[in-house]
């Protein structure tokens, strides 16, 4: 009997870490279901993966919508026969200090960053149990360390870390592993946008802002999306068969440094 091609579902797959993760899964022989709000870049990436000999489908969906997430999960199962890995990567960065953050912004951030992951995981879990699969949540160093004025963002990322721990605890005996990756700054469209804002505040350009943000980083630079993707795909694979409930810092060492010492 020929083994089925493993399938990975990646949310927020159109750009940045999600796109790099989809490419990395395809490189490792996975079929990939691409989920995100924008159809055009998803279709372009699916075509690119198919042209390179892989299998991929595009499933435009808002992860905050139970109906749309359900349709995306169903499409992956119908096309590829099951799900071996779910990567909850979809997210937004809008946030503010608590007294300045409107309820609407709090609810939007939590609905996309955290509730979206809850919905996707809940709907994918029966299929992951069937194939003894894995969940990887893309959290952030700000799921562990507070950032300045980023209330809902930090809270949502902390929730992703704990969501993975809960899934690991509750479903490990059924063969499912769940972990989080916690990136620092990454050169993505979202990271570039934030660096542009930082640069304007300090009268410097984007590259100067990245340098400023990494003065206390041991490696002295932001990550490339592919460097995060490689960790995600590792955690989803059987090479990480005894890793579950973990939050892996992928931040160039920033979280190892005491900022008060300098």
């Amino acid at each position: 009997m020929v083994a089925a091609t493993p399938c990975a579902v990646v949310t927020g797959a159109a750009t940045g870490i999600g796109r790099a993760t989809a490419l990395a899964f395809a490189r490792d022989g996975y079929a990939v279901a691409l989920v995100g709000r924008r159809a055009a870049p998803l279709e372009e990436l699916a075509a690119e993966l198919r042209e390179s000999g892989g299998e991929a489908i595009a499933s435009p969906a808002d992860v905050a919508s139970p109906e749309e997430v359900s349709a995306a999960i169903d499409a992956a199962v119908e096309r590829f026969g099951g799900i071996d890995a779910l990567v909850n990567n979809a997210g937004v960065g809008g946030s503010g200090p608590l007294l300045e953050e409107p309820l609407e912004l709090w609810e939007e951030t939590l609905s996309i960053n955290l509730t979206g992951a809850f919905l996707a995981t809940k709907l994918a879990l029966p299929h992951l149990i069937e194939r003894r699969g894995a969940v990887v949540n893309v959290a952030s160093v700000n799921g562990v360390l507070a950032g300045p004025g980023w209330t809902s963002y930090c809270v949502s990322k902390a929730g992703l870390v704990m969501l993975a721990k809960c899934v690991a605890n509750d479903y490990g005996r059924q063969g499912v592993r769940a972990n989080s990756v916690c990136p620092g700054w990454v050169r993505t469209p979202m990271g570039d946008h934030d660096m542009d804002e930082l640069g304007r505040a300090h009268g410097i350009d984007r590259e100067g802002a990245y340098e400023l943000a990494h003065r206390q980083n041991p490696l002295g630079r932001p990550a490339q999306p592919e460097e995060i993707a490689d960790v995600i795909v590792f955690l989803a694979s059987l090479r990480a068969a005894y890793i579950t409930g973990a939050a892996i810092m992928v931040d160039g060492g920033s979280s190892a440094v005491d900022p008060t010492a300098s």
Side-chain angles (χ1 to χ4, degrees):
M1 180 180 295
V2 178
T5 301
C7 167
V9 176
V10 181
T11 72
T15 61
I17 294 171
R19 175 183 169 83
T21 299
L23 290 166
F25 270 121
R27 179 196 65 208
D28 280 9
Y30 284 75
V32 189
L34 309 167
V35 181
R37 287 190 286 186
R38 294 180 294 151
L42 293 178
E43 294 288 357
E44 291 173 7
L45 179 55
E48 179 181 339
L49 293 174
R50 290 192 293 265
E51 287 168 5
S52 63
E55 297 182 73
I57 58 170
S59 295
D62 181 346
V63 295
S65 165
E67 295 79 15
E68 293 182 23
V69 176
S70 180
I73 295 297
D74 288 347
V77 173
E78 181 179 353
R79 177 66 180 83
F80 302 120
I83 299 172
D84 298 86
L86 169 67
V87 179
N88 288 309
N89 170 69
V92 293
S95 202
L98 192 145
L99 288 176
E100 299 172 25
E101 182 159 12
L103 177 60
E104 294 77 14
L105 181 56
W106 167 274
E107 290 179 337
E108 179 185 15
T109 303
L110 270 290
S111 69
I112 295 170
N113 291 8
L114 185 55
T115 303
F118 164 81
L119 290 171
T121 306
K122 185 178 182 69
L123 291 162
L125 257 174
H127 308 290
L128 293 167
I129 290 170
E130 182 178 343
R131 290 201 178 181
R132 304 181 72 81
V135 178
V136 183
N137 290 343
V138 181
S140 168
V141 293
N142 297 121
V144 179
L145 304 169
W150 301 342
T151 306
S152 60
Y153 180 79
C154 294
V155 170
S156 69
K157 294 300 185 176
L160 284 174
V161 171
M162 185 52 67
L163 177 61
K165 291 179 182 291
C166 290
V167 173
N169 187 47
D170 292 338
Y171 298 97
R173 297 298 179 93
Q174 296 179 64
V176 175
R177 295 180 301 105
N179 295 289
S180 300
V181 295
C182 298
W185 288 111
V186 186
R187 283 188 178 272
T188 64
M190 184 183 295
D192 287 348
H193 174 269
D194 288 343
M195 287 301 111
D196 289 342
E197 288 193 347
L198 178 63
R200 283 191 291 272
H202 290 269
I204 54 180
D205 63 11
R206 179 185 295 171
E207 293 307 311
Y210 271 120
E211 181 180 350
L212 176 62
H214 290 83
R215 285 185 179 173
Q216 296 186 61
N217 178 289
L219 295 185
R221 63 173 180 84
Q224 296 296 327
E226 293 77 14
E227 293 174 308
I228 312 302
D230 283 343
V231 180
I232 292 169
V233 174
F234 166 72
L235 288 172
S237 76
L238 291 178
R239 300 190 301 276
Y242 203 62
I243 302 175
T244 195
I248 308 297
M249 309 302 283
V250 193
D251 64 349
S254 287
S255 58
V257 176
D258 176 4
T260 68
S262 56

